[in-house]
Amino acid sequence: MGSNVDVDVLVVGAGITGIHQLYRAREAGFSVQLLEAGDGPGGTWFWNRYPGARFDSESYSYAYLFSKELWEEWEWQEHFAGQPEIERYLNHVVDKFDLRRDMRFGARVTSASYDEATATWKVRTSDSKAITARFLVAATGILSVPFFPDVPGRDDFRGEQHHTGLWPSTPVDFADKRVAVVGTGSSGVQIIPVIAQEAAALTVYQRTPNWCTPLNNAPITDDQQAWLRADFAAIKETLDTSPAGFLHQMHDRKAAEDDERQRHQFFEKMWASPGFSKLTSNYTDLFFDADTNAQWCEFVADKVRSLVHETAVADKLIPKDHRFGEKRPPFVTGYYESFNQPNVSLVDLSETPIVRVTEAGIETTAGSREFDLIVWATGFDFGTGALLRMGIQGRDGLALADHWADGPTTFLGVQTEGFPNFFFPGGPHAAAGNNPRYNGDQVDFITDLLVHARDHGYDLIEVDPAAEQAWVAMIERNVARQSFTEKSYYFGTNVPGKPRRFLLNSGGRPKLHKEIAKIKSNDYKAFRLSTVQGS
Ligand code: NAP
C-alpha cells in the first residue's frame, strides 16, 4: 500500500480481537504483522490462566464465526469452556489459518508515534525493534492491565503472591498451604471454590459481595453438537444481530404479568438457566422496575441463605449496596457452598479493612493472619488501561494519555480525533455483552473502511470531529438509561484517580449497527479520507 512502510497494518495484541483483525486484514490483501507481549496467543485467555478460569458466555457464542469450516471442525467440550480449552482453540485458529507467521510474541509495545509527513506510525517494542506501519490497530483489550490495590507492604510479603490476571504458566500448588484470596468479583469467585478444594486453609477477603448466580455449565451432548453443526447459518445470524450477542431468547413479559407463584417458578427457571440468560431472558422490566429487581434480588438472597449453612456468613455474602445488574454480575460453580467447608473462612473488609500486608500475611483492623500464598483477584484498569500505557502519540506529538486525561472520547469506539490511521477495536466505548461479537463488528468495520480507503486511493483516515462529538454526546445521553451505576468499574471507579466516565457504549450494539449502516450508505463521510503527498 505504500513504499515507506514495513507493513500496511500493524495489530497489537493476540487476544480474540487481535487474531480476528489479523485474519480479516490479511484476507483483505493487506500486509499485516501482529505484536504480542505474551509468549502465545490468547490475550485475556493467555494471562488469566488461574485455576477455575472459564467462559461465562457459551463457548460457541464466544467463538469465531468467520469460517464455517472452523465452526464445524472444532468440537467444544463444555457449554462454558475452561481456560485450557479456550487456549487450545485459539492456538488451533492461529495454526489453521497460518497466522503465526505474522505474529511476534514477547514483543511489548513501548511507544507508537504518528508521523505527519508520511501518515505512518512508528512503533517500538520492548525487544528494541522498530516497525513502521500505515495503520495501527490496538486490540489491547479492556481487561488487560491488572489492578493491584495500593495496600501498604505488598512487596514485603515473603510468601508467594499472584494476580489472577497475570497468572504464571507453571502450576501453582495450593496443597497444604494457607491461602488468602483478596477480591470477590468474577475472577475471585471462580478461583475460590478450586482453591477451597486443595488448600489447608483459605481466607477470603471480601470488600463488597456481588450478586452471584449459577453458571450451570455442562458437557455438550452429542445431540447438541449435532444441532450446532446443523444450524450454523441460523446461529450466526442470531449472534450477528442480537443486541447482546447471545443465543438466549428474550422473555415475553414483565414480572407484574405473573402472579406470585408463577413468578417464583419463573425465578427458579432463571436460577437453573445458563450464564447470562439470567439477564438476557429474565422479566423484561428487570432493569427498569425497582420492584421487579428487588423481587429477583430477594429470590437470589434466599438461595444464598439456603446454600450457606452459617447465617452470619450468608448474610455477609448478600449484597446490600447495589441491585442486580448495577454491576457486571459473576456466575459461579460451587462458590457459596465453599463457605461450608471447615477450611474456608470469610473476612468482611467492610467491617475490618486491610491495614497492611506484612512479611507473613495480611493485617486487618481485626488482627493478622499468616499465609503461604496471596491471590490478588482485584480486577483491572478497565477500558483505557492498556491504551494509555503504550506511549501513543498522535498528531503534533499529542499523547493519548493527555488527550484522554478526562476520559476517552471516540467515534464508534474505534477511532479518536488527532490520531489518524489509528484504531482500537474492543477498547473503550465497546458495548456490554458478549465481547467477541461486538469487537468482531468493529474489526469487520475497520477492515471494510481500510478496503474502502485503498479502493479510492486514500492512505489517511481520520474521524470527522463532528461525528466523534455526536457519538460521545450519544454515550453521555444514554448513560442514565442503562443499568450500570457508578459503583461499577465500567465508570473507572475501582482505580483511584481515574476520571469517572462511562467507558462503554451506552447505546449498545444496536446503536453501533445503525451507525455503521449509516456510514456505509453515506460513503464513509464520517471519516476524512485523503492522500499523503508523495506516497
Ligand atoms: P473485579 O470485578 O473488578 O473485582 C475486583 C475485586 O477486588 C472486587 O471484589 C473488589 O472489591 C476487590 N478489591 C479491589 N480493590 C480492593 C482493595 N483495595 N481491598 C479489597 N478488595 C479490593 O475484577 P475481576 O473479578 O477480575 O473481574 C473483572 C471482569 O473480568 C469481570 O467483571 C468480567 O467482565 C471479566 N471476567 C470474566 C470472566 C469470565 O468470563 N468467565 C471471569 C473473570 C473475569 P469492591 O467490589 O469492593 O471494589
Side-chain angles (χ1 to χ4, degrees), residues 45 50 54-57 143 147 149-151 164 182-188 190 205 207-208 210 327-328 349 354 377-380 489-490 494:
W45 300 107
Y50 58 86
R54 65 174 61 249
F55 283 155
D56 53 19
S57 298
L143 289 159
F147 169 71
D150 192 15
V151 177
T164 46
V182 184
T184 52
S186 298
S187 306
Q190 281 190 335
Y205 288 90
R207 194 165 63 179
T208 321
N210 278 298
K327 290 177 168 183
R328 194 268 202 201
L349 296 176
I354 294 180
T378 44
F380 299 88
Y489 64 75
Y490 290 152
N494 62 326

Side-chain angles (χ1 to χ4, degrees), residues 54-56 58 80 189-190 210-218 248 267-279 296 299-301 303-304 306-307 324 329-337:
R54 65 174 61 249
F55 283 155
D56 53 19
E58 281 80 355
F80 300 94
V189 301
Q190 281 190 335
N210 278 298
W211 291 108
C212 302
T213 54
L215 181 63
N216 294 319
N217 189 22
H248 312 145
F267 283 153
E268 284 290 358
K269 191 176 142 197
M270 282 292 100
W271 182 260
S273 75
F276 273 97
S277 51
K278 292 162 205 80
L279 285 92
W296 169 246
F299 175 86
V300 175
K303 286 286 185 193
V304 177
S306 72
L307 289 169
F324 186 82
F331 300 98
V332 291
T333 306
Y335 172 63
Y336 292 117
E337 294 86 335

